[in-house]
């Protein structure tokens, strides 16, 4: 065969291949518009709770318990009497101080009626006034001592356990019980230092108790620590959660989930993302033909992926039927709702010999 004859044969083969390519039927595909989205970053932590107001109650003075009304987990209102010590001596002291005050007031009144008559020196009247003032202070002091024999709830809340019984001798160092106002709880947890400055007061976090798979609760960040723990590489955060149903208790531990929005990305169906030798890509439809677009995978979501690449919102990418796509091939767009009328379309990894 001459060189010219061989050349013509090769040309004919190339022309035949081109004609075959041009005659290649359009590929049936399902497309999905590109959406703008953001990656959601979840930060997990362990939190411990405490009541919004929580104190340990001690008596103001020593004495013998005469009366106690403390039951575990009982709701009490501010001012409710919880415990009373033997106060007979204090009641007598109050009565004596009241009598002394009445006597000094009567004496002062007599001096004041005769004031100016010369019957008493002015210093005598002044001394009587001072005696009244002292008697008033003594009565007030006696009343304070009497009040200190009674332990009252300083605010609304729930009482804890107690081991004290009537007749027990207690001192100022004897813990009587605890009192918690748990209408709201404060949950403290720590976050990695790389997230410092990305949360603010009022941001929401999700809480779930360790002992239950019940519904998550939403708490709001109230305080953020001003320092980072150099050893742990974390900073403290406090969030407040409402406890209107009284299902939570101080001291409970929680799984805390805080969420942040990452940079903007493109959201595609997971079936639209393919992998080749050069990484991830998708088929974009331009002018009725397929065009390969290289992408960078950012995150995976349920049935979707977030990617970065030269896409625009609203552009169509092939989400089903990718196995038949070639660069520049014409496509026949199929309505996803009518797929029953077409052969099954699959999105799969491109075979090695077609990359």
């Amino acid at each position: 065969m001459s060189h010219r004859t061989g050349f013509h044969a090769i040309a004919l083969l190339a022309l035949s291949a081109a004609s075959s390519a041009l005659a290649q039927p359009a590929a049936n595909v399902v497309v999905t518009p590109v959406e703008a989205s953001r990656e959601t970053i979840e930060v997990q932590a362990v939190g411990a709770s405490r009541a919004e107001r929580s104190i340990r109650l001690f008596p103001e003075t020593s004495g013998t318990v005469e009366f106690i009304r403390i039951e575990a987990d009982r709701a009490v209102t501010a001012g409710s009497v919880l415990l009373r010590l033997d106060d007979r001596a204090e009641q007598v002291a109050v009565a004596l101080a009241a009598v002394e005050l009445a006597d000094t007031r009567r004496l002062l009144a007599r001096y004041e009626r005769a004031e100016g008559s010369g019957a008493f020196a002015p210093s005598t009247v002044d001394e009587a006034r001072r005696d009244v003032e002292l008697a008033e202070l003594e009565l007030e002091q006696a009343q304070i001592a009497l009040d200190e024999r009674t332990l009252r709830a300083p605010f609304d809340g729930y009482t804890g356990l107690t081991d004290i019984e009537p007749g027990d001798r207690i001192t100022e160092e004897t813990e009587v019980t605890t009192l918690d106002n748990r209408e709201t709880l404060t949950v403290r947890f720590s976050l990695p230092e790389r997230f410092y400055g990305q949360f603010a007061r009022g941001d929401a976090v999700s809480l779930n108790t360790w002992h239950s798979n019940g519904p998550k609760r939403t708490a709001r960040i109230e305080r953020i620590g001003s320092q980072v723990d150099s050893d742990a590489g974390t900073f403290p955060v406090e969030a407040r959660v409402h406890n209107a149903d009284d299902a939570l208790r101080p001291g409970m531990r929680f799984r805390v989930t805080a969420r942040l929005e990452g940079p903007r990305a493109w959201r595609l169906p997971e079936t639209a993302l393919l992998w080749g030798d050069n990484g991830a890509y998708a088929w974009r439809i331009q002018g009725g033909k397929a065009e390969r677009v290289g992408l960078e995978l950012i995150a995976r979501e349920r049935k979707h992926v977030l990617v970065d690449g030269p896409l625009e919102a609203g552009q169509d990418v092939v989400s089903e039927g990718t196995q038949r796509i070639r660069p520049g091939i014409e496509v026949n767009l199929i309505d996803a709702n009518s797929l029953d009328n077409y052969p099954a379309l699959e999105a799969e990894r491109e075979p090695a010999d077609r990359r």
Side-chain angles (χ1 to χ4, degrees), residues 176-197:
V176 176
T177 189
T178 58
L179 182 66
D180 298 318
N181 185 322
R182 56 186 189 233
E183 292 181 1
T184 59
L185 298 182
T186 298
V187 180
R188 174 173 289 189
F189 53 95
S190 295
L191 296 178
E193 64 178 299
R194 68 179 181 275
F195 296 115
Y196 195 88

Side-chain angles (χ1 to χ4, degrees), residues 256-315:
V256 183
T257 303
R259 292 179 175 84
L260 289 172
E261 283 193 350
R264 196 183 74 160
W266 301 116
R267 187 169 183 263
L268 311 177
E270 62 181 358
T271 54
L273 188 68
L274 305 172
W275 294 89
D277 292 338
N278 296 324
Y281 68 95
W283 291 106
R284 176 176 60 188
I285 304 303
Q286 291 277 71
K289 295 185 178 182
E291 179 183 7
R292 180 167 171 161
V293 180
L295 302 173
E296 179 184 353
L297 177 63
I298 295 177
R300 292 187 181 273
E301 297 180 343
R302 188 171 180 270
K303 296 185 178 181
H304 288 84
V305 291
L306 298 180
V307 298
D308 186 26
L311 297 174
E312 295 180 4
Q315 285 185 331

Side-chain angles (χ1 to χ4, degrees), residues 44-67:
Q44 301 285 339
V46 177
S49 64
R50 60 179 176 83
E52 187 70 14
R53 299 185 68 183
S54 179
I55 60 172
R56 296 184 299 163
L57 295 174
F58 296 84
E60 294 287 342
T61 185
S62 302
T64 301
V65 176
E66 181 182 78
F67 166 84

